[in-house]
Amino acid sequence: MMAEPHIPVLLRPLLAACAPVCGTWIDGTFGAGGYARGLIAAGAARVIGIDRDPLAHHMAAGWLPGFHGTIDLREGTFGELDRIAAEAGAEQVEGVVLDLGISSMQIDTAERGFSFQKDAPLDMRMSQSGPSARDLVNEAGEERLADILYLYGEERASRRIARAILAARPVETTLELAEIVARCLPRQKPGEKHPATRTFQALRIAVNDEYGELARGLEAAERVLAPGGLLAVVSFHSVEDRMVKRFLQLRAGRMGQGSRYAPEAEAEAPAFEMVTRKAVEPDETELAANPRARSAKLRVARRTSAPAGRINDEEIGMPMLPTSRTTGGRPRR
């Protein structure tokens, strides 16, 4: 029996909102395979799993043969899930599930450098390839570091922390970085998150381009879903949830009503219908079994037959670094 390193969050309400589950689904954030197995148990004929983390593929090797013909695990990112599905022989699917952020197995593997609970090299790469958090911390300029901490981590002391990081370079390990950040902020009170939490979140998001992946993944899901197909997204912090909420509102025709100064443009046919009127949160039973679910939110929408469209990143509230495609002034801190 395989040990369960990651409990799929909000799986029960997700399956209830998507019932009846049938046909082919995409699990765009495969992890330990909890959602994929839950979908198969609920009635899906096939699940195409996608994960960029080699650890997920290594861990699945022991149990995946038991699901031969029903779970098909592919390497890649969910930002290209429509291409990966087509390569797997599925031009359209009945459902897409995205469980955003970082998994328990990544957090609990100390040498991956995602957490400051134990000392480890600064890494944070989900794909285990490309530039690491160590590269970013030791090579980025003060302005760019400050922008990343402020926009991706909502860290108000971003400039102070960025200056401290530059003064302490080279920074090699998770505890080194956590101590630098802690010295810049008020002492942690009982029950409060560690002062470095926002900094680690921001660096992880930047290293893995998580917001860019989310924007691409939402559009790819719209392209690959068959009429009547379901999109279910579980998010864990406010920026992700805002992006998902705004995307679905825009594509369901619930935003942009115009004004007396700017006449309303001819509206496109809605590409989605909302299934969950508001975000679904974990109940007390789930929180007792899995405290890490406390910030999770689930949103579900059903695809219509309208053509797939495009959404501007700024329209869905995606934080944009000043050096990226967006224009405008620097963020205030």
Side-chain angles (χ1 to χ4, degrees), residues 97-330:
V97 173
L98 302 176
D99 173 21
L100 305 178
I102 188 171
S103 72
S104 297
M105 64 186 190
Q106 289 168 327
I107 295 173
D108 295 338
T109 306
E111 60 268 26
R112 300 294 299 276
F114 286 105
S115 171
F116 43 78
Q117 299 304 315
K118 295 181 180 179
D119 202 20
L122 268 176
D123 193 326
M124 303 191 190
R125 296 172 298 175
M126 291 181 179
S127 65
Q128 298 186 33
S129 63
S132 67
R134 179 192 176 280
D135 297 324
L136 179 58
V137 162
N138 289 295
E139 296 174 11
E142 180 182 327
E143 293 293 302
R144 182 163 182 81
L145 266 180
D147 286 333
I148 288 170
L149 300 185
Y150 182 80
L151 291 169
Y152 292 174
E154 300 179 295
E155 175 55 73
R156 294 185 178 183
S158 56
R159 286 188 184 276
R160 191 185 318 149
I161 294 169
R163 283 195 294 269
I165 289 172
L166 263 69
R169 284 175 173 175
V171 182
E172 303 288 343
T173 72
T174 56
L175 287 187
E176 282 182 64
L177 179 60
E179 289 168 4
I180 292 167
V181 177
R183 289 196 296 267
C184 295
L185 297 171
R187 185 182 298 274
Q188 179 184 6
K189 296 179 181 178
E192 288 185 342
K193 292 181 179 180
H194 190 282
T197 299
R198 290 184 294 272
T199 293
F200 272 66
Q201 171 188 299
L203 293 173
R204 189 202 81 221
I205 289 169
V207 166
N208 297 288
D209 188 24
E210 292 181 37
Y211 292 150
E213 276 300 314
L214 176 54
R216 291 187 290 272
L218 292 171
E219 288 190 338
E222 182 176 321
R223 290 192 296 268
V224 79
L225 281 167
L230 292 156
L231 171 62
V233 185
V234 177
S235 60
F236 288 85
H237 64 81
S238 59
V239 176
E240 289 176 339
D241 182 58
R242 181 179 69 215
M243 289 177 64
V244 175
K245 179 181 178 180
R246 289 189 180 180
F247 173 84
L248 293 176
Q249 287 177 331
L250 283 162
R251 301 307 292 147
R254 294 190 176 186
M255 293 181 69
Q257 300 300 313
S259 72
R260 64 192 237 184
Y261 302 107
E264 184 176 359
E266 184 177 349
E268 295 181 3
F272 282 98
E273 299 170 346
M274 305 302 295
V275 173
T276 53
R277 293 180 58 191
K278 60 180 182 179
V280 177
E281 300 181 6
D283 58 21
E284 293 301 322
T285 301
E286 179 159 2
L287 289 174
N290 184 14
R292 285 179 174 171
R294 64 186 178 275
S295 60
K297 292 184 177 181
L298 165 68
R299 297 185 187 274
V300 181
R302 179 176 289 104
R303 186 73 168 87
T304 71
S305 59
R310 294 294 303 273
I311 292 292
N312 183 282
D313 292 341
E314 292 178 273
E315 288 184 300
I316 60 172
M318 176 177 165
M320 306 290 285
L321 294 173
T323 53
S324 64
R325 287 178 289 168
T326 189
T327 58
R330 295 185 47 76

